[in-house]
Amino acid sequence: RAKEEGRGRHRFFEQEMDARAQARRALELDLRRAFALRQFEVHYQPQMKLADRRVVGFEALARWRHPERGMISPAAFIPIAEEIGLISQIGEWVLQTACREAAGWPDDISIAVNLSPVQFSSPGLVTMVIAALRQSGLAPERLELEITESVLLQETAATLTILHQLRALGVRIAMDDFGTGYSSLGYLRSFPFDKVKIDQSFVREMPSDGDSNAIVRAIIGLGVSLGISTTAEGVETQEQLDRLRAEGCTDIQGYLLSRPIPASGVGDLLLQLHS
Ligand code: C2E
Ligand code: MG
Ligand code: MG
Ligand code: MG
Protein backbone atom coordinates (compact mmCIF):
# COMPACT_ATOMS: atom_id res chain seq x y z
CA ARG A 1 0.00 0.00 0.00
CA ALA A 2 2.69 2.42 1.09
CA LYS A 3 4.83 1.22 -1.78
CA GLU A 4 2.02 1.86 -4.20
CA GLU A 5 1.48 5.32 -2.82
CA GLY A 6 5.16 6.01 -3.13
CA ARG A 7 5.11 4.94 -6.75
CA GLY A 8 2.10 7.16 -7.38
CA ARG A 9 3.85 10.10 -5.89
CA HIS A 10 6.92 9.36 -7.92
CA ARG A 11 4.86 9.31 -11.11
CA PHE A 12 3.24 12.57 -10.10
CA PHE A 13 6.64 14.22 -9.67
CA GLU A 14 7.79 12.90 -13.02
CA GLN A 15 4.73 14.33 -14.70
CA GLU A 16 5.27 17.60 -12.91
CA MET A 17 8.89 17.70 -14.10
CA ASP A 18 7.84 16.88 -17.63
CA ALA A 19 5.27 19.65 -17.61
CA ARG A 20 7.82 22.10 -16.32
CA ALA A 21 10.46 21.07 -18.84
CA GLN A 22 7.90 21.36 -21.60
CA ALA A 23 6.79 24.82 -20.50
CA ARG A 24 10.41 25.86 -20.41
CA ARG A 25 11.08 24.50 -23.92
CA ALA A 26 8.00 26.28 -25.22
CA LEU A 27 9.20 29.53 -23.69
CA GLU A 28 12.63 29.06 -25.28
CA LEU A 29 11.04 28.56 -28.68
CA ASP A 30 8.85 31.63 -28.20
CA LEU A 31 11.91 33.63 -27.13
CA ARG A 32 13.81 32.63 -30.27
CA ARG A 33 10.92 33.88 -32.37
CA ALA A 34 10.20 36.98 -30.32
CA PHE A 35 12.74 39.02 -32.21
CA ALA A 36 11.41 38.45 -35.67
CA LEU A 37 7.89 39.03 -34.34
CA ARG A 38 8.94 42.34 -32.80
CA GLN A 39 7.65 41.43 -29.35
CA PHE A 40 10.36 43.26 -27.41
CA GLU A 41 9.95 46.74 -26.00
CA VAL A 42 12.01 49.08 -23.89
CA HIS A 43 10.44 50.89 -20.95
CA TYR A 44 12.06 53.75 -19.09
CA GLN A 45 12.18 54.59 -15.40
CA PRO A 46 13.30 58.04 -14.19
CA GLN A 47 16.22 58.67 -11.85
CA MET A 48 16.17 61.86 -9.79
CA LYS A 49 18.99 63.86 -8.27
CA LEU A 50 17.99 64.66 -4.70
CA ALA A 51 19.97 67.92 -4.48
CA ASP A 52 17.68 69.78 -6.89
CA ARG A 53 14.90 67.25 -7.52
CA ARG A 54 15.65 67.19 -11.26
CA VAL A 55 15.39 64.07 -13.36
CA VAL A 56 18.94 63.30 -14.45
CA GLY A 57 18.28 60.16 -16.43
CA PHE A 58 16.22 57.09 -17.18
CA GLU A 59 17.01 53.40 -16.92
CA ALA A 60 16.13 51.32 -19.97
CA LEU A 61 14.34 48.10 -18.98
CA ALA A 62 13.61 45.33 -21.45
CA ARG A 63 10.04 44.09 -21.84
CA TRP A 64 8.70 41.08 -23.70
CA ARG A 65 5.10 41.31 -24.80
CA HIS A 66 4.11 37.67 -25.22
CA PRO A 67 1.01 37.18 -27.41
CA GLU A 68 -0.66 34.79 -24.94
CA ARG A 69 1.07 35.37 -21.63
CA GLY A 70 1.15 39.15 -21.70
CA MET A 71 4.16 41.06 -20.42
CA ILE A 72 6.94 38.77 -19.28
CA SER A 73 9.37 40.18 -16.75
CA PRO A 74 13.04 40.46 -17.71
CA ALA A 75 13.80 38.65 -14.45
CA ALA A 76 12.14 35.65 -16.13
CA PHE A 77 13.39 35.86 -19.71
CA ILE A 78 16.86 37.44 -19.44
CA PRO A 79 18.30 34.34 -17.67
CA ILE A 80 16.85 32.11 -20.40
CA ALA A 81 18.22 34.41 -23.10
CA GLU A 82 21.62 34.20 -21.43
CA GLU A 83 21.46 30.42 -21.40
CA ILE A 84 20.40 29.90 -25.00
CA GLY A 85 22.78 32.47 -26.44
CA LEU A 86 20.26 35.19 -27.27
CA ILE A 87 21.30 37.81 -24.77
CA SER A 88 23.84 39.59 -26.96
CA GLN A 89 21.26 40.08 -29.70
CA ILE A 90 18.61 41.29 -27.26
CA GLY A 91 21.14 43.45 -25.44
CA GLU A 92 22.26 45.06 -28.68
CA TRP A 93 18.68 45.83 -29.65
CA VAL A 94 17.92 47.35 -26.23
CA LEU A 95 21.07 49.47 -26.41
CA GLN A 96 20.33 50.71 -29.94
CA THR A 97 16.70 51.44 -29.11
CA ALA A 98 17.50 53.22 -25.86
CA CYS A 99 20.25 55.36 -27.43
CA ARG A 100 18.02 56.31 -30.36
CA GLU A 101 15.06 57.27 -28.17
CA ALA A 102 17.19 59.09 -25.58
CA ALA A 103 18.87 61.11 -28.32
CA GLY A 104 15.53 62.89 -28.74
CA TRP A 105 15.28 63.88 -25.07
CA PRO A 106 16.73 67.05 -23.46
CA ASP A 107 20.52 66.73 -23.50
CA ASP A 108 20.91 66.93 -19.74
CA ILE A 109 19.04 63.63 -19.50
CA SER A 110 21.13 60.47 -19.58
CA ILE A 111 20.21 56.88 -20.35
CA ALA A 112 21.27 53.82 -18.36
CA VAL A 113 21.40 50.42 -20.05
CA ASN A 114 21.93 47.06 -18.32
CA LEU A 115 24.65 44.75 -19.59
CA SER A 116 24.64 41.02 -18.95
CA PRO A 117 27.86 39.36 -17.76
CA VAL A 118 27.49 37.06 -20.78
CA GLN A 119 27.92 40.06 -23.08
CA PHE A 120 31.41 40.51 -21.65
CA SER A 121 32.45 37.07 -22.80
CA SER A 122 31.23 37.47 -26.35
CA PRO A 123 33.40 39.51 -28.69
CA GLY A 124 32.42 42.90 -30.06
CA LEU A 125 30.86 44.54 -27.01
CA VAL A 126 32.90 47.72 -27.37
CA THR A 127 32.30 47.85 -31.13
CA MET A 128 28.58 47.43 -30.48
CA VAL A 129 28.54 50.39 -28.07
CA ILE A 130 30.48 52.56 -30.51
CA ALA A 131 28.01 51.67 -33.28
CA ALA A 132 24.96 52.42 -31.10
CA LEU A 133 26.40 55.83 -30.19
CA ARG A 134 27.25 56.66 -33.78
CA GLN A 135 23.91 55.49 -35.22
CA SER A 136 21.90 57.42 -32.64
CA GLY A 137 24.09 60.50 -32.42
CA LEU A 138 23.85 60.29 -28.63
CA ALA A 139 26.78 61.93 -26.83
CA PRO A 140 28.80 59.20 -25.02
CA GLU A 141 28.58 61.24 -21.79
CA ARG A 142 24.83 60.63 -21.80
CA LEU A 143 25.21 56.85 -21.80
CA GLU A 144 25.64 54.89 -18.60
CA LEU A 145 26.17 51.13 -18.59
CA GLU A 146 25.01 49.15 -15.56
CA ILE A 147 26.88 46.01 -14.67
CA THR A 148 26.50 43.67 -11.72
CA GLU A 149 29.20 42.32 -9.49
CA SER A 150 29.04 39.00 -11.32
CA VAL A 151 30.81 40.66 -14.26
CA LEU A 152 33.86 41.05 -12.04
CA LEU A 153 33.47 37.61 -10.51
CA GLN A 154 35.93 36.24 -13.01
CA GLU A 155 38.01 39.36 -12.77
CA THR A 156 40.02 38.69 -15.86
CA ALA A 157 42.30 41.11 -17.61
CA ALA A 158 39.94 40.93 -20.58
CA THR A 159 36.95 42.14 -18.56
CA LEU A 160 38.89 45.06 -17.13
CA THR A 161 40.22 45.95 -20.57
CA ILE A 162 36.68 46.12 -21.93
CA LEU A 163 35.53 48.29 -19.01
CA HIS A 164 38.44 50.67 -19.53
CA GLN A 165 37.76 50.83 -23.27
CA LEU A 166 34.11 51.68 -22.62
CA ARG A 167 35.16 54.32 -20.12
CA ALA A 168 37.61 55.79 -22.63
CA LEU A 169 34.68 56.38 -25.00
CA GLY A 170 33.26 58.77 -22.41
CA VAL A 171 30.59 56.32 -21.28
CA ARG A 172 29.92 55.99 -17.54
CA ILE A 173 29.92 52.67 -15.70
CA ALA A 174 27.58 51.98 -12.78
CA MET A 175 27.67 49.06 -10.37
CA ASP A 176 24.11 47.69 -10.19
CA ASP A 177 22.43 45.85 -7.30
CA PHE A 178 25.28 46.64 -4.94
CA GLY A 179 25.27 44.73 -1.70
CA THR A 180 23.84 41.50 -3.10
CA GLY A 181 25.48 38.58 -4.80
CA TYR A 182 29.15 38.14 -4.25
CA SER A 183 29.65 41.56 -2.73
CA SER A 184 33.27 42.27 -2.26
CA LEU A 185 34.47 45.77 -1.63
CA GLY A 186 37.53 44.85 -3.68
CA TYR A 187 35.42 45.14 -6.83
CA LEU A 188 35.17 48.86 -6.20
CA ARG A 189 38.95 49.02 -6.19
CA SER A 190 39.51 46.92 -9.28
CA PHE A 191 37.66 49.41 -11.45
CA PRO A 192 36.83 53.10 -10.97
CA PHE A 193 33.03 52.99 -11.12
CA ASP A 194 31.15 56.25 -11.64
CA LYS A 195 28.20 55.20 -9.55
CA VAL A 196 26.93 52.58 -7.14
CA LYS A 197 23.28 51.55 -7.19
CA ILE A 198 22.03 50.41 -3.78
CA ASP A 199 20.03 47.22 -4.23
CA GLN A 200 16.32 47.54 -3.67
CA SER A 201 16.26 44.67 -1.18
CA PHE A 202 17.87 47.02 1.36
CA VAL A 203 15.82 50.07 0.41
CA ARG A 204 12.60 48.05 0.70
CA GLU A 205 13.18 47.36 4.40
CA MET A 206 13.87 51.00 5.21
CA PRO A 207 13.37 52.61 7.60
CA SER A 208 11.85 49.94 9.88
CA ASP A 209 14.71 47.43 9.65
CA GLY A 210 17.78 48.62 11.51
CA ASP A 211 20.18 46.33 9.67
CA SER A 212 19.03 47.56 6.27
CA ASN A 213 19.38 51.15 7.45
CA ALA A 214 22.93 50.40 8.56
CA ILE A 215 23.87 48.75 5.27
CA VAL A 216 22.39 51.58 3.21
CA ARG A 217 24.24 54.11 5.36
CA ALA A 218 27.50 52.20 4.86
CA ILE A 219 27.09 52.06 1.07
CA ILE A 220 26.32 55.78 0.91
CA GLY A 221 29.38 56.46 3.05
CA LEU A 222 31.43 54.36 0.68
CA GLY A 223 30.16 56.42 -2.25
CA VAL A 224 31.04 59.65 -0.45
CA SER A 225 34.54 58.39 0.36
CA LEU A 226 35.13 57.24 -3.19
CA GLY A 227 33.72 60.49 -4.57
CA ILE A 228 31.03 58.76 -6.64
CA SER A 229 27.27 59.05 -6.67
CA THR A 230 24.87 56.58 -5.09
CA THR A 231 21.47 55.77 -6.56
CA ALA A 232 18.94 54.06 -4.32
CA GLU A 233 16.79 51.60 -6.26
CA GLY A 234 13.21 50.66 -5.45
CA VAL A 235 12.24 53.82 -3.55
CA GLU A 236 8.51 53.55 -2.97
CA THR A 237 7.72 55.87 -0.07
CA GLN A 238 8.33 59.48 0.91
CA GLU A 239 9.67 58.17 4.20
CA GLN A 240 12.39 56.22 2.37
CA LEU A 241 13.23 59.27 0.28
CA ASP A 242 13.56 61.50 3.35
CA ARG A 243 15.75 58.97 5.08
CA LEU A 244 17.98 58.49 2.02
CA ARG A 245 18.38 62.22 1.60
CA ALA A 246 19.30 62.63 5.28
CA GLU A 247 21.96 59.92 4.85
CA GLY A 248 23.49 61.74 1.89
CA CYS A 249 22.30 59.50 -0.94
CA THR A 250 22.65 61.47 -4.20
CA ASP A 251 19.99 59.97 -6.49
CA ILE A 252 16.83 57.88 -6.28
CA GLN A 253 14.85 55.63 -8.58
CA GLY A 254 11.59 53.84 -7.83
CA TYR A 255 7.84 53.66 -8.04
CA LEU A 256 7.57 56.78 -5.85
CA LEU A 257 8.66 58.76 -8.93
CA SER A 258 7.23 56.46 -11.58
CA ARG A 259 7.05 52.89 -12.77
CA PRO A 260 8.95 52.15 -15.96
CA ILE A 261 6.97 53.61 -18.89
CA PRO A 262 7.10 53.49 -22.70
CA ALA A 263 9.15 56.17 -24.47
CA SER A 264 5.95 57.88 -25.61
CA GLY A 265 5.27 58.95 -22.01
CA VAL A 266 8.69 60.37 -21.20
CA GLY A 267 7.96 63.97 -22.27
CA ASP A 268 4.83 64.24 -20.11
CA LEU A 269 6.51 62.55 -17.17
CA LEU A 270 9.37 65.07 -17.28
CA LEU A 271 6.88 67.95 -17.25
CA GLN A 272 5.00 66.38 -14.36
CA LEU A 273 8.07 65.63 -12.24
CA HIS A 274 9.53 69.09 -12.84
CA SER A 275 6.40 71.07 -12.08
P1 C2E B 1 17.64 46.19 -12.32
O1 C2E B 1 18.61 46.59 -13.38
O2 C2E B 1 18.11 46.23 -10.93
O3 C2E B 1 16.36 47.11 -12.55
C1 C2E B 1 15.55 47.57 -11.53
C2 C2E B 1 14.30 46.72 -11.39
O4 C2E B 1 13.56 47.18 -10.27
C3 C2E B 1 13.36 46.81 -12.56
O5 C2E B 1 12.70 45.55 -12.69
C4 C2E B 1 12.36 47.86 -12.09
O6 C2E B 1 11.11 47.80 -12.76
C5 C2E B 1 12.24 47.48 -10.65
N1 C2E B 1 11.78 48.58 -9.81
C6 C2E B 1 12.05 49.89 -9.96
N2 C2E B 1 11.52 50.63 -8.98
C7 C2E B 1 10.88 49.77 -8.17
C8 C2E B 1 10.12 49.94 -6.96
O7 C2E B 1 9.93 51.03 -6.44
N3 C2E B 1 9.62 48.81 -6.39
C9 C2E B 1 9.81 47.58 -6.95
N4 C2E B 1 9.30 46.53 -6.31
N5 C2E B 1 10.53 47.38 -8.08
C10 C2E B 1 11.06 48.46 -8.68
P2 C2E B 1 12.50 44.87 -14.10
O8 C2E B 1 12.21 45.89 -15.14
O9 C2E B 1 11.54 43.76 -13.89
O10 C2E B 1 13.94 44.29 -14.40
C11 C2E B 1 14.49 43.28 -13.60
C12 C2E B 1 15.93 43.05 -13.93
O11 C2E B 1 16.08 42.51 -15.24
C13 C2E B 1 16.78 44.33 -13.93
O12 C2E B 1 17.12 44.67 -12.61
C14 C2E B 1 17.96 43.88 -14.75
O13 C2E B 1 18.87 43.15 -13.97
C15 C2E B 1 17.32 42.93 -15.74
N6 C2E B 1 17.13 43.63 -17.03
C16 C2E B 1 16.12 44.43 -17.44
N7 C2E B 1 16.33 44.87 -18.70
C17 C2E B 1 17.52 44.34 -19.09
C18 C2E B 1 18.30 44.42 -20.30
O14 C2E B 1 17.98 45.10 -21.29
N8 C2E B 1 19.48 43.70 -20.33
C19 C2E B 1 19.88 42.95 -19.26
N9 C2E B 1 21.05 42.27 -19.36
N10 C2E B 1 19.18 42.87 -18.12
C20 C2E B 1 18.01 43.55 -18.03
MG1 MG C 1 19.84 48.09 -13.64
MG1 MG D 1 19.39 47.12 -9.86
MG1 MG E 1 17.92 44.05 -9.63
Side-chain angles (χ1 to χ4, degrees):
R1 177 82 215 259
K3 207 170 178 184
E4 225 162 78
E5 243 172 48
R7 217 173 297 143
R9 218 169 7 229
H10 188 69
R11 211 154 28 222
F12 173 77
F13 279 128
E14 271 182 355
Q15 281 167 358
E16 182 97 318
M17 295 276 281
D18 274 359
R20 226 177 277 172
Q22 257 172 38
R24 159 78 193 220
R25 268 197 301 275
L27 202 62
E28 280 180 22
L29 273 176
D30 288 347
L31 193 54
R32 289 183 200 282
R33 284 191 297 238
F35 233 100
L37 296 173
R38 298 175 171 273
Q39 290 168 350
F40 292 116
E41 296 175 18
V42 183
H43 285 193
Y44 300 93
Q45 188 179 37
Q47 305 173 321
M48 180 178 275
K49 191 170 156 196
L50 286 175
D52 56 7
R53 290 181 173 271
R54 301 290 292 181
V55 174
V56 286
F58 286 83
E59 178 173 6
L61 294 158
R63 294 290 180 265
W64 176 17
R65 196 182 289 276
H66 191 282
E68 290 113 38
R69 301 177 184 218
M71 281 291 193
I72 298 185
S73 154
F77 75 80
I78 295 283
I80 301 178
E82 289 175 336
E83 240 176 84
I84 65 177
L86 272 183
I87 190 62
S88 289
Q89 198 188 3
I90 296 174
E92 179 171 20
W93 181 83
V94 170
L95 180 71
Q96 286 174 347
T97 304
C99 287
R100 186 183 67 243
E101 297 191 311
W105 303 342
D107 28 280
D108 56 347
I109 303 274
S110 61
I111 181 73
V113 178
N114 294 283
L115 291 183
S116 157
V118 177
Q119 290 178 272
F120 280 79
S121 355
S122 53
L125 178 58
V126 178
T127 314
M128 184 190 92
V129 172
I130 294 173
L133 289 169
R134 194 162 40 211
Q135 284 160 18
S136 62
L138 187 84
E141 293 70 28
R142 292 177 62 194
L143 177 63
E144 188 168 275
L145 299 172
E146 296 191 359
I147 67 166
T148 52
E149 290 158 311
S150 49
V151 168
L152 294 167
L153 196 55
Q154 332 98 317
E155 188 198 314
T156 60
T159 304
L160 288 177
T161 302
I162 295 172
L163 286 172
H164 282 290
Q165 285 172 335
L166 291 170
R167 197 65 168 326
L169 298 174
V171 169
R172 280 169 294 149
I173 311 287
M175 158 103 30
D176 203 356
D177 302 342
F178 189 72
T180 60
Y182 300 90
S183 281
S184 153
L185 296 180
Y187 293 146
L188 291 178
R189 203 181 48 183
S190 56
F191 184 78
F193 287 90
D194 297 281
K195 169 188 284 186
V196 165
K197 297 189 77 177
I198 306 169
D199 191 70
Q200 51 182 282
S201 57
F202 304 115
V203 177
R204 193 187 304 135
E205 305 301 327
M206 287 177 71
S208 58
D209 177 52
D211 291 346
S212 295
N213 292 339
I215 292 169
V216 167
R217 175 179 301 156
I219 299 176
I220 294 169
L222 207 54
V224 172
S225 306
L226 293 169
I228 61 180
S229 54
T230 42
T231 302
E233 300 188 279
V235 178
E236 295 187 355
T237 69
Q238 183 65 41
E239 207 181 7
Q240 290 166 341
L241 185 156
D242 293 339
R243 181 79 186 223
L244 287 159
R245 187 206 304 277
E247 298 286 359
C249 182
T250 58
D251 305 81
I252 60 155
Q253 179 180 345
Y255 294 171
L256 181 65
L257 299 177
S258 168
R259 291 185 174 250
I261 56 161
S264 56
V266 163
D268 281 348
L269 183 64
L270 283 174
L271 285 176
Q272 182 202 318
L273 289 172
H274 287 158
S275 66

